[in-house]
Amino acid sequence: MPRRQRTRVARVAANSFSINRRAALHDSSQLPSLQNRVASHIPFERYADDCVVHCQTEKQAIWIRRQLEARFQQCGLTLHPVKTKIVDCRQGKESRDSEHQEFDFLGYTFRPRFTKWPNGTYGVAFLPAASPGALKVMRREVRRWGLQNRTDTALDDLARRVNPYIRGWINYYSHFYKSALYDSLRRIDFHLRKWARRKFKRFKQKPKGARLWLARIIRTNPALFAHWPLLYARQPDTGSRMSREVHVRF
């Protein structure tokens, strides 16, 4: 990951779509490399029809957006009128007056966040974290498991069933600002406490007893569920570092 830079930047985010010719995005005869046909000196990342183009200034971002619009029109395509936007990725007070200061890409939301720098100081940096949409999907999946209703299943078996999902979320989203995951992962423990109250009669009318019981399990077997080491290891989250840039996303 590049070190903190002091260059001013601009970012364009866009989402492209085709009315009847989405396949053209994958047809090299109709849509040759954007990097070769539009601007070979400007880096970008693309996944399917979602893309981020990195620009150094707002002027450059406006220019690349116009070039993309013209090139897409040649192929019978158009940029999404809402998701195509120039995002200011400067840090701190520099971007306060900008219209767009965040964007989503591959399940992450990139926006200014409070963070701790390696030298021990604190400040605001433009960083990624799991997006609200991705976290909502996680919580919906946890509800779908219906852990509180699995009273015929042992706790170890519950862990074996759900740990592959939990590890996948942690492996993908914990690289940057992992604390954004905490509230959603704690919902799993909420359902486990409800499971304990339904499975063990002594906890039926004692929610505090179920909490203390689960806390003892976490202390004695902290690796049973994949999210427990992340939540209860008490390791400080120092955030992440990224360069200041302006991007185009489609």
Side-chain angles (χ1 to χ4, degrees):
M1 192 62 63
R3 292 189 177 182
R4 187 181 184 185
Q5 300 177 358
R6 297 191 178 275
T7 55
R8 293 172 68 93
V9 206
R11 213 180 260 234
V12 184
N15 187 288
S16 62
F17 67 94
S18 168
I19 298 177
N20 293 313
R21 299 173 62 190
R22 181 179 293 271
L25 282 172
H26 307 285
D27 187 345
S28 58
S29 64
Q30 295 190 48
L31 185 59
S33 170
L34 285 173
Q35 193 169 21
N36 293 333
R37 295 295 298 268
V38 177
S40 59
H41 62 286
I42 298 179
F44 71 94
E45 293 85 35
R46 171 189 160 195
Y47 182 82
D49 63 350
D50 210 16
C51 182
V52 174
V53 180
H54 304 265
C55 305
Q56 293 300 311
T57 64
E58 183 179 9
K59 182 179 179 180
Q60 186 183 55
I62 294 173
W63 177 83
I64 193 66
R65 176 174 177 169
R66 290 173 179 169
Q67 296 298 311
L68 289 170
E69 288 174 343
R71 179 59 189 143
F72 273 53
Q73 287 177 3
Q74 294 174 9
C75 301
L77 303 170
T78 182
L79 297 177
H80 195 289
V82 176
K83 295 183 179 179
T84 301
K85 55 187 177 182
I86 297 176
V87 181
D88 191 340
C89 302
R90 292 174 297 175
Q91 300 171 134
K93 300 179 181 179
E94 296 174 322
S95 60
R96 276 185 180 175
D97 299 329
S98 302
E99 180 181 3
H100 301 294
Q101 298 183 44
E102 67 177 55
F103 70 93
D104 289 352
F105 185 61
L106 300 183
Y108 279 92
T109 293
F110 294 74
R111 65 173 179 83
R113 301 177 189 274
F114 189 72
T115 189
K116 181 180 179 180
W117 297 103
N119 61 7
T121 61
Y122 291 86
V124 177
F126 201 90
L127 301 173
S131 69
L135 296 174
K136 184 177 180 179
V137 170
M138 289 171 54
R139 293 190 293 270
R140 184 188 304 137
E141 180 66 18
V142 171
R143 289 194 302 270
R144 189 187 67 82
W145 294 342
L147 296 177
Q148 68 274 16
N149 299 321
R150 307 268 183 178
T151 55
D152 59 337
T153 307
L155 190 63
D156 291 354
D157 292 330
L158 289 179
R160 280 192 290 270
R161 289 186 181 187
V162 303
N163 274 343
Y165 295 91
I166 301 173
R167 290 193 189 98
W169 294 331
I170 292 175
N171 289 341
Y172 186 75
Y173 291 111
S174 66
H175 293 288
F176 306 99
Y177 240 82
K178 58 189 177 184
S179 59
L181 295 172
Y182 292 173
D183 287 343
S184 296
L185 293 176
R186 288 192 182 102
R187 297 298 297 176
I188 302 173
D189 294 346
F190 169 78
H191 290 286
L192 290 176
R193 291 194 296 271
K194 293 180 68 175
W195 170 86
R197 294 182 62 190
R198 293 186 180 187
K199 187 175 180 66
F200 304 113
K201 291 182 179 180
R202 65 183 185 273
F203 297 140
K204 186 174 182 180
Q205 302 297 330
K206 297 180 179 179
K208 183 178 179 180
R211 286 199 305 271
L212 294 176
W213 174 84
L214 187 62
R216 286 196 299 271
I217 298 295
I218 293 172
R219 288 196 300 269
T220 57
N221 194 357
L224 180 59
F225 282 85
H227 65 290
W228 284 356
L230 180 65
L231 291 182
Y232 305 112
R234 298 187 180 280
Q235 296 177 354
D237 181 14
T238 58
S240 173
R241 292 178 295 163
M242 285 192 67
S243 59
R244 292 190 286 180
E245 297 174 338
V246 200
H247 298 262
V248 181
R249 201 200 129 220
F250 50 94

